[in-house]
Amino acid sequence: MTYIDNSIFFLLQILFFGFGWLFFMRQLFKDYEVRQYVVQVIFSVTFAFSCTMFELIIFEILKVLNSSSRYFHWKMNLCVILLILVFMVPFYIGYFIVSNIRLLHRQRLLFSCLLWLTFMYFFWKLGDPFPILSPKHGILSIEQLISRVGVIGVTLMALLSGFGAVNCPYTYMSYFLRNVTDADILALERRLLQTMDMIISKKKRMAMTRRTMFQKGEVHNKPSGFWGMIKSVTTSAPGSENLTLIQQEVDALEELSRQLFLETADLYATKERIEYSKTFKGKYFNFLGYFFSIYCVWKIFMATINIVFDRVGKTDPVTRGIEITVNYLGIQFDVKFWSQHISFILVGIIIVTSIRGLLITLTKFFYAISSSKSSNVIVLLLAQIMGMYFVSSVLLIRMSMPLEYRTIITEVLGELQFNFYHRWFDVIFLVSALSSILFLYLAHKQAPEKHMAP
């Protein structure tokens, strides 16, 4: 292990930390004031060490730097990321949750520790029902933490992958687009305008009724005292019942107007997608949609086969695919040489798309549920999800690498039951994909009926 190797890793981690910091400021918190810099630091550090694991995978394939340096940084990186995910982030999540509760504000440190201990109890019990460890591992070994983080992360990856494999072709393919015309949009806009006119008309009636009651003295001439209160409860002014009924009608019409507005916006978005699908770029994405639909069917089929026959591949998919092709065509081909290069490209694509896809998902999720009070807690939850996602990615990407590149990764991760994680991924992926197909089918079937309703 040399000074140059350590300098390279240190500089790359600073770059990853800076990118995580910029992403935090420019994307997640651009609409909020940063009041707790510890949240920003934790998110950026988690992002930096998560990206460093993917960087180490690429270094492993390319044989960059000394093997002892790579092993040391693998070990250090895993220890730091596990320290963050198991101890630091859960504690601060509990701390900020307690800080938002006024009654517990004075003893927030005590209650934060209690919440963290509760998390640790359930986190530790998570490993009981799963065959994830060799019995010889001690209770304080690093494998105990990786195995449990891996279960949560692989479950999250499988859920996202299952939904993405189905939603991607559904989104890209023009086949699933509803036929929306200008007449449909005009009809819905006309209904929306009529509803708004009815709301305005009824609110005018309410204002006129209140004015009439005021002029007749029904508002001010109320009896005072205890008997006056009893009388006001048991009797009502002649126009008050009418006002209550009109207010109920207005509330119902306002809810209808909101639904009509959302449906109109949806029709405009669908029409824009139809116009976009006619462009060159739209046709390209349409082709990608057909490709991903084939991939989705193949992935579901292979997951089913793996589950039914309890099968886990021993060689990486690239090497296996090249061997089958070469044997079928009967040509001379250096399988080992080309499988290494293609595996490197494939792993690189997986890494880039994983990071990009997860960041996009985290951004959408944050904007959907965040507020000024809950933003710190949500960012820490996203950091927790991100770290677990990347740790479990290393467990699964390991199978996509040729055997000679897995040595250090397997030594660092320990004697985990790697086959279990792949079978678990297949089970959750299959459930997620089939549930997504059912959900999108019902949503697609219901949408035309909703717009055709009078």
Side-chain angles (χ1 to χ4, degrees):
M1 188 170 64
T2 64
Y3 174 77
I4 297 175
D5 293 354
N6 291 331
S7 300
I8 290 172
F9 275 108
F10 183 67
L11 288 173
L12 287 172
Q13 283 185 329
I14 289 175
L15 286 175
F16 292 142
F17 180 87
F19 184 81
W21 189 280
L22 286 174
F23 176 76
F24 183 94
M25 295 297 294
R26 299 286 178 86
Q27 290 294 327
L28 293 183
F29 259 61
K30 64 180 181 181
D31 296 327
Y32 298 96
E33 180 185 356
V34 181
R35 296 180 181 176
Q36 299 291 341
Y37 281 98
V38 66
V39 175
Q40 190 172 0
V41 171
I42 290 174
F43 181 88
S44 303
V45 169
T46 306
F47 181 82
F49 279 91
S50 299
C51 291
T52 304
M53 285 192 294
F54 284 146
E55 167 208 329
L56 284 166
I57 290 175
I58 294 175
F59 282 6
E60 206 66 40
I61 296 174
L62 295 177
K63 299 294 182 183
V64 176
L65 308 181
N66 193 355
S67 61
S68 61
S69 296
R70 297 198 304 270
Y71 180 83
F72 171 78
H73 285 283
W74 263 116
K75 204 76 175 176
M76 184 193 72
N77 203 80
L78 274 175
C79 289
V80 173
I81 197 72
L82 290 173
L83 180 69
I84 293 170
L85 295 178
V86 178
F87 298 97
M88 188 178 293
V89 175
F91 174 79
Y92 274 103
I93 288 174
Y95 180 81
F96 285 114
I97 289 174
V98 172
S99 297
N100 290 330
I101 304 173
R102 290 185 177 180
L103 294 175
L104 308 177
H105 203 267
R106 290 185 178 180
Q107 296 179 325
R108 54 188 173 185
L109 193 61
L110 173 64
F111 284 100
S112 300
C113 293
L114 290 175
L115 284 177
W116 179 78
L117 289 172
T118 304
F119 163 79
M120 284 301 298
Y121 172 78
F122 287 106
F123 177 77
W124 211 260
K125 296 296 288 184
L126 179 69
D128 293 347
F130 298 108
I132 52 181
L133 273 177
S134 176
K136 65 180 183 181
H137 290 301
I139 193 170
L140 297 177
S141 63
I142 192 173
E143 289 83 3
Q144 294 281 0
L145 300 180
I146 294 176
S147 59
R148 288 162 172 79
V149 169
V151 170
I152 301 172
V154 168
T155 304
L156 176 67
M157 281 187 69
L159 288 171
L160 292 175
S161 300
F163 177 75
V166 175
N167 187 59
C168 187
Y170 179 79
T171 304
Y172 284 170
M173 291 173 65
S174 58
Y175 174 79
F176 294 107
L177 291 175
R178 300 191 307 273
N179 185 23
V180 177
T181 62
D182 292 333
D184 297 330
I185 296 176
L186 287 173
L188 204 57
E189 286 180 337
R190 196 176 297 114
R191 287 181 59 196
L192 178 59
L193 289 174
Q194 289 173 353
T195 305
M196 297 302 294
D197 289 339
M198 292 173 67
I199 292 172
I200 293 170
S201 175
K202 289 184 180 296
K203 285 188 174 181
K204 284 182 178 178
R205 282 179 57 192
M206 289 176 65
M208 293 295 293
T209 304
R210 286 197 180 99
R211 183 181 178 186
T212 304
M213 291 172 64
F214 179 77
Q215 289 175 346
K216 291 181 178 179
E218 295 174 0
V219 176
H220 291 291
N221 296 337
K222 290 183 178 178
S224 58
F226 176 77
W227 293 109
M229 291 173 62
I230 297 295
K231 187 176 181 181
S232 65
V233 171
T234 55
T235 61
S236 59
S240 61
E241 294 180 2
N242 192 29
L243 274 176
T244 304
L245 291 173
I246 296 174
Q247 184 61 52
Q248 291 175 355
E249 293 175 2
V250 168
D251 292 340
L253 287 171
E254 285 180 341
E255 180 61 31
L256 176 62
S257 68
R258 281 190 288 269
Q259 294 295 327
L260 290 174
F261 176 79
L262 292 174
E263 290 178 22
T264 305
D266 184 46
L267 286 184
Y268 270 111
T270 304
K271 187 182 176 184
E272 288 179 2
R273 285 183 59 197
I274 291 172
E275 295 298 325
Y276 177 76
S277 67
K278 297 176 183 177
T279 63
F280 176 78
K281 194 174 180 181
K283 291 178 181 178
Y284 166 72
F285 280 107
N286 186 45
F287 170 76
L288 281 183
Y290 282 102
F291 173 77
F292 280 118
S293 63
I294 296 171
Y295 168 79
C296 175
V297 173
W298 176 81
K299 190 73 176 174
I300 291 174
F301 173 75
M302 291 305 298
T304 307
I305 294 296
N306 293 339
I307 294 168
V308 172
F309 295 101
D310 194 20
R311 192 188 71 163
V312 176
K314 300 298 181 184
T315 59
D316 64 287
V318 173
T319 304
R320 183 62 179 161
I322 293 176
E323 287 176 351
I324 292 172
T325 306
V326 169
N327 292 333
Y328 179 77
L329 297 177
I331 59 176
Q332 295 294 325
F333 196 79
D334 191 344
V335 176
K336 184 177 180 181
F337 174 80
W338 286 104
S339 65
Q340 291 175 357
H341 288 74
I342 296 173
S343 293
F344 169 70
I345 296 171
L346 177 64
V347 169
I349 292 171
I350 292 172
I351 289 170
V352 172
T353 54
S354 295
I355 294 173
R356 179 181 177 274
L358 185 65
L359 290 180
I360 291 172
T361 305
L362 292 182
T363 305
K364 290 180 179 178
F365 183 76
F366 179 79
Y367 282 127
I369 65 171
S370 65
S371 65
S372 58
K373 286 188 176 181
S374 65
S375 56
N376 289 323
V377 175
I378 293 170
V379 167
L380 290 173
L381 283 172
L382 297 183
Q384 183 83 352
I385 292 170
M386 178 174 62
M388 290 184 171
Y389 181 94
F390 286 146
V391 170
S392 58
S393 295
V394 174
L395 293 175
L396 297 179
I397 287 176
R398 172 187 166 277
M399 186 59 73
S400 300
M401 301 168 65
L403 288 172
E404 57 267 27
Y405 300 136
R406 303 181 194 174
T407 307
I408 291 181
I409 298 176
T410 305
E411 288 179 8
V412 171
L413 293 176
E415 296 182 11
L416 300 180
Q417 301 296 325
F418 292 104
N419 291 348
F420 161 77
Y421 292 104
H422 288 276
R423 283 196 294 268
W424 183 249
F425 180 89
D426 288 333
V427 171
I428 302 300
F429 174 86
L430 187 62
V431 172
S432 176
L434 294 177
S435 302
S436 301
I437 290 172
L438 179 63
F439 171 76
L440 292 175
Y441 170 76
L442 294 175
H444 184 78
K445 185 178 179 182
Q446 190 177 6
E449 298 174 358
K450 184 169 62 176
H451 294 310
M452 290 172 62

